[in-house]
Amino acid sequence: MAQQTETVRRTPLSRERVLSAAVVLADESGVESLSMRKLAQQLGVVPMALYKHVANKEELLDGMVDVIVGEIDTGASGDDWKSAVRQRVLAARQILLRHPWARHVIESRTNKSAVVLEYMDAMIGMFRAGGLSVDLTHHVMHAMGSRMWGFTQEVFDDSAGAAAEIPPAMLHAMAEKYPHVMEIAMRADHDDESVVGQGCDDQFEFEFALDLLLDGFERLHEQGWTSRGRST
Amino acid sequence: MAQQTETVRRTPLSRERVLSAAVVLADESGVESLSMRKLAQQLGVVPMALYKHVANKEELLDGMVDVIVGEIDTGASGDDWKSAVRQRVLAARQILLRHPWARHVIESRTNKSAVVLEYMDAMIGMFRAGGLSVDLTHHVMHAMGSRMWGFTQEVFDDSAGAAAEIPPAMLHAMAEKYPHVMEIAMRADHDDESVVGQGCDDQFEFEFALDLLLDGFERLHEQGWTSRGRST
DNA sequence: ATTGACAAGTGTACGCCGTACACCTACCTT
DNA sequence: AAGGTAGGTGTACGGCGTACACTTGTCAAT
């Protein structure tokens, strides 16, 4: 009678199954509420089972980043380096936008996996192929910062969108205390002759900054930049 | 005999005392190991006592950011807007460097305190005083991102400094897999004719990117920038 | 001098977390 | 048939944030 262990013997765990379940869970309810226990439950397994596939939670997060970075479209393009980089970064952005938690996780990771190193190596290669010197490329990569992953750290919170729900009295008080902030927030909010609509257009802001940087890189490159201001 | 409750009745807690003790603790052992319980112990008090002065841990972190931001030297300068902003940002950087944990905390905060809003308002004011339009200033602030606090998100980890401790065999393997990364890492590492010394010079990288951005802002401003590419 | 309100600090307890460690069990190799 | 091994289990521990009920010390009004 001994029934076949269970109806059909569920598909076994694997590192891949663990990681992608974790990504799904983070997409759904945020990375801050992702726990080994909830992840295990989702997979119909006891928490400790996960530890046969990932060393610990840190490594789980590393793996999740790899999954995301692996999704980035790295289709080659024969364009000039600027367009190539631009295209790659915007492709990364498309992916990152679908996994809002990834921003935070990427920033907090300290070890770089093979997948991440490959991505970075390829991007460095784009600048080098464009003729930028090793040194200039080095600085340029630093200047890119997390923008190479397609996100800005949104220090400048979208105070505009929220303005609608703030009582007028408080709005007035804020306008007195933070006149410049309000000026910008209000403009972004109801500037009817612009495209923005609600709040401000994150995509526009991102491309604005990206192009500013790329143009700056190009200018330095054309001027034959060499460690200005440093002794030879 | 009843001794006077305790030798001398310790100085009472206060929000300020709690916050600055938290800052000290984070400076010493990192923000990730800062807990309400350890903080309480440090203050010679039971954990729940803290909750009379901060609502919860989130608010504690907010308050810690305020302490740091409050330290930033905001001495006015009569210079042109570019130098003024540059000076302010580098002042912020000096403070942030002394509190490495603040980077992460500032980035993860979602609510902006009065102190933070004041800082941002002042910085916006600098651009406006320099004659930049509201729109341009808006985009410029986005482009600054967390650089306005004096830090870059160090996505590009200092692989150079670490290279010294990696066995040559692995170094060789890495050079084959990530040639461009290695090229940069090695150059930054033992480029004897540069100032850099060990690894790469973070301060230089920061100023490089900051100046690139500021120069870009200036150029756009001089060209009378108006929402390029957007319909009127 | 008595009262009583109120702010500050305490003690206990709950539910969550990551994970060490010993165990079982199914399967594969020989 | 024997035994090694990889994958899944169960129990348990110490740490976390914090709810809630409590004592205590202080001071103003009576």
Side-chain angles (χ1 to χ4, degrees):
Chain A
M1 206 42 85
Q3 74 204 77
Q4 196 187 335
T5 319
E6 259 162 38
T7 32
V8 80
R9 188 100 196 96
R10 66 171 173 245
T11 65
L13 244 43
S14 72
R15 187 175 162 90
E16 284 66 40
R17 248 167 61 75
V18 169
L19 292 183
S20 55
V23 166
V24 169
L25 218 55
D27 284 347
E28 285 171 355
S29 24
V31 75
E32 71 286 345
S33 87
L34 171 67
S35 71
M36 299 300 273
R37 297 169 121 104
K38 282 185 198 153
L39 178 54
Q41 190 172 25
Q42 183 85 0
L43 288 162
V45 111
V46 93
M48 287 311 293
L50 302 176
Y51 288 85
K52 298 287 190 210
H53 304 277
V54 293
N56 48 43
K57 195 177 180 181
E58 287 287 289
E59 207 200 87
L60 175 76
L61 292 169
D62 285 340
M64 290 168 69
V65 169
D66 284 358
V67 171
I68 298 316
V69 173
E71 284 180 18
I72 300 174
D73 179 19
T74 55
S77 70
D79 298 338
D80 61 311
W81 65 268
K82 238 172 70 170
S83 322
V85 169
R86 190 175 200 278
Q87 185 180 323
R88 173 73 56 93
V89 168
L90 292 179
R93 179 172 170 81
Q94 286 314 302
I95 303 300
L96 267 287
L97 281 180
R98 294 215 295 272
H99 308 287
W101 50 270
R103 191 180 85 76
H104 198 231
V105 176
I106 288 180
E107 275 175 354
S108 62
R109 250 20 17 219
T110 168
N111 289 328
K112 270 135 198 59
S113 71
V115 176
V116 167
L117 279 172
E118 256 157 48
Y119 181 84
M120 290 175 59
D121 198 71
M123 182 148 299
I124 295 173
M126 287 173 160
F127 289 112
R128 296 286 291 125
L132 277 69
S133 73
V134 173
D135 274 353
L136 181 55
T137 303
H138 177 192
H139 304 316
V140 152
M141 286 295 287
H142 273 280
M144 291 276 294
S146 61
R147 236 175 288 259
M148 75 178 275
W149 302 110
F151 59 84
T152 315
Q153 58 297 4
E154 270 310 341
V155 164
F156 199 57
D157 189 21
D158 194 299
S159 25
E165 299 140 23
I166 296 175
M170 180 173 288
L171 252 170
H172 185 254
M174 284 185 68
E176 290 207 336
K177 248 194 130 195
Y178 316 112
H180 299 113
V181 171
M182 284 317 269
E183 189 179 37
I184 282 174
M186 299 315 285
R187 177 63 141 271
D189 200 24
H190 53 50
D191 183 4
D192 290 21
E193 56 188 354
S194 89
V195 183
V196 293
Q198 87 296 22
C200 64
D201 183 341
D202 285 342
Q203 184 71 22
F204 177 86
E205 302 301 344
F206 184 82
E207 296 189 18
F208 175 90
L210 177 60
D211 290 336
L212 191 63
L213 286 169
L214 292 176
D215 289 348
F217 300 161
E218 184 176 46
R219 199 162 353 243
L220 289 179
H221 175 46
E222 282 168 354
Q223 291 167 1
W225 183 94
T226 59
S227 303
R228 58 170 168 175
R230 286 152 111 186
S231 59
T232 53
Chain B
M1 206 45 79
Q3 76 205 74
Q4 197 186 337
T5 319
E6 260 162 36
T7 32
V8 79
R9 189 93 195 101
R10 68 175 172 243
T11 65
L13 244 46
S14 73
R15 187 175 163 91
E16 284 66 40
R17 248 167 62 74
V18 169
L19 292 184
S20 54
V23 167
V24 168
L25 218 56
D27 285 346
E28 285 170 356
S29 24
V31 74
E32 72 284 345
S33 87
L34 171 68
S35 72
M36 298 301 273
R37 296 168 122 103
K38 283 184 197 154
L39 178 55
Q41 191 172 26
Q42 182 85 0
L43 288 161
V45 113
V46 93
M48 286 310 293
L50 302 175
Y51 289 85
K52 297 286 194 226
H53 303 276
V54 294
N56 49 44
K57 193 176 182 183
E58 287 287 289
E59 207 201 87
L60 175 77
L61 292 169
D62 284 341
M64 291 168 68
V65 169
D66 284 357
V67 171
I68 298 316
V69 174
E71 285 180 16
I72 300 175
D73 179 18
T74 54
S77 71
D79 299 339
D80 60 311
W81 65 267
K82 239 173 69 170
S83 322
V85 169
R86 189 173 200 278
Q87 183 179 324
R88 173 72 56 91
V89 169
L90 292 180
R93 180 171 169 81
Q94 285 315 302
I95 303 300
L96 266 287
L97 282 180
R98 295 215 294 273
H99 308 286
W101 50 268
R103 193 182 83 76
H104 198 231
V105 176
I106 288 180
E107 274 174 354
S108 62
R109 243 41 349 233
T110 167
N111 288 328
K112 271 141 197 55
S113 72
V115 176
V116 167
L117 279 172
E118 257 158 46
Y119 181 84
M120 290 176 58
D121 197 71
M123 181 149 298
I124 296 173
M126 287 172 158
F127 289 113
R128 296 287 289 127
L132 277 70
S133 74
V134 173
D135 274 353
L136 181 54
T137 303
H138 177 193
H139 304 316
V140 152
M141 286 295 288
H142 273 280
M144 291 277 292
S146 63
R147 236 175 286 260
M148 74 178 275
W149 301 110
F151 61 84
T152 316
Q153 58 297 4
E154 270 310 340
V155 164
F156 198 56
D157 190 21
D158 194 306
S159 25
E165 299 140 25
I166 298 177
M170 180 173 287
L171 252 171
H172 184 254
M174 282 184 69
E176 289 208 335
K177 252 197 123 187
Y178 317 111
H180 299 114
V181 170
M182 286 315 270
E183 189 178 37
I184 281 176
M186 300 316 284
R187 177 63 144 272
D189 202 22
H190 52 51
D191 183 3
D192 289 24
E193 57 186 356
S194 90
V195 184
V196 294
Q198 86 299 21
C200 64
D201 183 341
D202 285 341
Q203 184 71 21
F204 177 85
E205 303 301 345
F206 184 82
E207 295 188 19
F208 175 91
L210 177 60
D211 290 337
L212 191 64
L213 285 169
L214 292 176
D215 288 349
F217 299 161
E218 185 177 44
R219 203 166 347 249
L220 290 179
H221 175 46
E222 282 167 355
Q223 292 167 1
W225 183 93
T226 60
S227 303
R228 61 175 167 173
R230 285 152 111 188
S231 59
T232 55

